[in-house]
Amino acid sequence: CYSYQGDLGTDQIFDTAGFTSGTLYMPVYDVCAQVASVSAGATIDLATCDSSDLQTFVFGDGGTISPISDTSLCFTASAETRFGRSDVHQISDMSLATCSDDLTIYQQWGYRATLEDEITVLGS
């Protein structure tokens, strides 16, 4: 995530406490990340939290995020972007794809508690 205003936007904040239970929870909106299905090409959306397998993830070594029911699939950002409300807001779609060293740049995820912190790779 980025910050051109000096801090993280509310639409970028996940509760790091949920990482230990495999949950990607956005407290400001009270929603969780959810895969549409456990198959390559499935989208990743936000939904009311229900602790289902579609909302439970494994944070693998090297920063991958996979559905708990199939760790051969990884959250994958699209190489293509589009603009949001202005040309500073770039949007990249996410979907599940087979985990691959060739896609590391699109499949490695991390977090930081503040903008000044170094990025911590998920799963490390």
Side-chain angles (χ1 to χ4, degrees):
C1 296
Y2 64 93
S3 175
Y4 62 92
Q5 297 176 327
D7 57 6
L8 295 176
T10 57
D11 60 345
Q12 300 178 32
I13 299 172
F14 287 91
D15 183 358
T16 57
F19 296 172
T20 57
S21 61
T23 303
L24 289 168
Y25 173 63
M26 296 185 86
V28 173
Y29 301 107
D30 194 26
V31 293
C32 290
Q34 174 175 298
V35 294
S37 66
V38 182
S39 58
T43 58
I44 299 148
D45 303 302
L46 298 172
T48 301
C49 300
D50 63 12
S51 301
S52 68
D53 281 357
L54 295 177
Q55 293 183 357
T56 307
F57 308 102
V58 173
F59 303 112
D61 292 340
T64 58
I65 303 174
S66 300
I68 194 166
S69 55
D70 189 347
T71 57
S72 72
L73 297 172
C74 287
F75 278 36
T76 306
S78 171
E80 299 171 14
T81 62
R82 64 186 183 282
F83 292 112
R85 288 182 242 163
S86 73
D87 61 358
V88 253
H89 297 107
Q90 284 191 309
I91 300 167
S92 179
D93 292 328
M94 280 196 335
S95 62
L96 290 178
T98 301
C99 301
S100 166
D101 288 342
D102 293 337
L103 296 174
T104 298
I105 192 169
Y106 303 106
Q107 294 180 333
Q108 185 177 58
W109 303 95
Y111 68 94
R112 57 185 170 189
T114 70
L115 288 175
E116 291 77 31
D117 291 344
E118 293 292 318
I119 294 175
T120 300
V121 175
L122 282 171
S124 52

